[in-house]
Amino acid sequence: MKKEGHPDYHFITVVMTDGTSFKTRSTVGKAGHVINLDIDPKTHPAWTGGNQTVLDRGGRVSRFKDKFKGFVR
């Protein structure tokens, strides 16, 4: 392999939002670089499932239910 064609692959430290950290290899920064995350899989709703609730304040669902409340199969 040519040395000049590949980026430097070294160990860095990643600090999660709760303060825990781990070491991984990366091409980011230099050896010993520290990355502090603003969001991570432990806290972000995209990974945790979040507390999603469907709020319908007289919107489409209510109008649909009102329109078809007498409909029976």
Side-chain angles (χ1 to χ4, degrees), residues 12-44:
I12 63 167
T13 303
V14 178
V15 180
M16 307 291 266
T17 57
D18 64 356
T20 59
S21 64
F22 63 93
K23 289 194 180 277
T24 188
R25 293 187 60 169
S26 176
T27 58
V28 174
K30 298 186 184 307
H33 187 79
V34 176
I35 294 177
N36 293 302
L37 299 179
D38 293 333
I39 58 172
D40 63 31
K42 293 179 182 178
T43 59
H44 196 275

Side-chain angles (χ1 to χ4, degrees), residues 44-52:
H44 196 275
W47 291 286
T48 61
N51 295 329
Q52 296 179 347

Side-chain angles (χ1 to χ4, degrees), residues 41-66:
K42 293 179 182 178
T43 59
H44 196 275
W47 291 286
T48 61
N51 295 329
Q52 296 179 347
T53 56
V54 176
L55 297 176
D56 182 41
R57 297 184 178 123
R60 298 176 79 181
V61 175
S62 296
R63 288 193 310 256
F64 179 84
K65 286 180 180 180
D66 290 342

